[in-house]
Amino acid sequence: MGGRRALVTGGASGIGAATAALLAERGAQVVTVDLAGGDIDADLRRPDAVETAVAEAAERLGGPADLLVAAAGVYRIAPALELDAEAWDDVHTINLRGVFLTCRAVARRLVEAGQPGAIVNLASTAALEGDAAEPSAHYNASKAGVVALTKQLAIELAPQRIRVNCVCPGVIDTPMLRVLDSEAGAVWVRETVPLSRLGRPEEVARVIAFLASDEASYVTGVALPIDGGLTA
């Protein structure tokens, strides 16, 4: 990762923080963006804020970021019949619109500079299957949108030598996780996840770092589950 310029959204906690730390450890210059607590504070729902943050990151990095990890997102639970339009829009604006705006801003700068790059978006196993225990139609749909967006961007940006992939984490031990709020949740993990444990943010970070690296130079447009076998 030496010489790489990385921008990590949602970099103040969880998977984003673990990824930022790993990329820095491997020699990349890293700037984190978050609503609060990142190197740059920004509301990624707003196009102007995204453009400003990406421009500031380029200044700090000494050039446009050639590695984007779009990890910013929220998790909400609500039965579909109880969801209102505002709650639906809120989740989609953060989880999908924010990823699109950030990818667009970073990719535009790379294309303008004539530089290759790599983008890794954070989706979820919720994009791949439903869940009766924690109904979250708005979250699931937003993450499925991230998968579809990733595949389309991979096709459109391939001629510019920009690879775009996403990861689909399962139950990972982060502040957003709720499955272990009870003993029943712990039992569910042991009995349902084939590896019988939670994943760690660092384990997801290592996969992200691989997809962003030259070792994955022929990989683009994939949605890779990191779930201990849950979706198998």
Side-chain angles (χ1 to χ4, degrees), residues 66 103 106-111 115-119 153-164 220:
D66 61 6
C103 288
V106 170
R108 279 176 171 173
R109 286 178 172 268
L110 285 174
V111 171
Q115 296 181 8
I119 295 171
L153 289 178
I155 293 169
E156 293 190 26
L157 297 176
Q160 282 75 41
R161 297 175 298 150
I162 300 171
R163 296 184 300 105
V164 189
T220 196

Side-chain angles (χ1 to χ4, degrees), residues 14-196:
I15 293 170
T19 302
L22 179 61
L23 295 177
E25 178 184 318
R26 294 186 177 181
Q29 297 181 71
V30 181
V31 169
T32 61
V33 177
D34 214 307
L35 191 57
D39 297 321
I40 300 170
D41 294 343
D43 183 349
L44 299 178
R45 295 171 295 185
R46 294 172 39 217
D48 59 331
V50 171
E51 293 294 337
T52 298
V54 171
E56 183 177 343
E59 291 181 6
R60 293 185 180 217
L61 294 168
D66 61 6
L67 194 171
L68 168 65
V69 179
V74 295
Y75 182 47
R76 301 281 188 268
I77 298 174
L81 299 187
E82 297 176 14
L83 271 176
D84 57 33
E86 290 74 18
W88 176 276
D89 289 346
D90 182 54
V91 168
H92 278 256
T93 301
I94 298 169
N95 288 359
L96 183 53
R97 173 184 167 118
V99 170
F100 163 68
L101 292 173
T102 309
C103 288
R104 184 183 67 176
V106 170
R108 279 176 171 173
R109 286 178 172 268
L110 285 174
V111 171
E112 182 180 341
Q115 296 181 8
I119 295 171
V120 183
N121 297 320
L122 265 290
S124 167
T125 53
L128 309 176
E129 59 183 18
D131 187 345
E134 293 192 353
S136 52
H138 45 349
Y139 177 78
N140 291 35
S142 71
K143 291 301 187 178
V146 170
V147 172
L149 174 65
T150 296
K151 291 177 179 292
Q152 184 62 32
L153 289 178
I155 293 169
E156 293 190 26
L157 297 176
Q160 282 75 41
R161 297 175 298 150
I162 300 171
R163 296 184 300 105
V164 189
N165 295 292
C166 68
V167 294
C168 299
V171 284
I172 309 298
D173 190 7
T174 71
M176 286 203 305
L177 184 67
R178 293 183 52 178
V179 72
L180 291 188
D181 286 352
S182 66
E183 175 58 27
V187 171
W188 180 90
V189 169
R190 291 196 297 269
E191 295 182 351
T192 307
V193 179
L195 291 184
S196 300

Side-chain angles (χ1 to χ4, degrees), residues 183-227:
E183 175 58 27
V187 171
W188 180 90
V189 169
R190 291 196 297 269
E191 295 182 351
T192 307
V193 179
L195 291 184
S196 300
R197 64 172 177 85
L198 296 178
R200 299 186 300 276
E202 295 78 11
E203 292 177 298
V204 181
R206 288 195 288 268
V207 177
I208 292 172
F210 164 71
L211 289 174
S213 75
D214 290 339
E215 293 181 345
S217 57
Y218 200 56
V219 180
T220 196
V222 305
L224 180 59
I226 310 171
D227 63 0

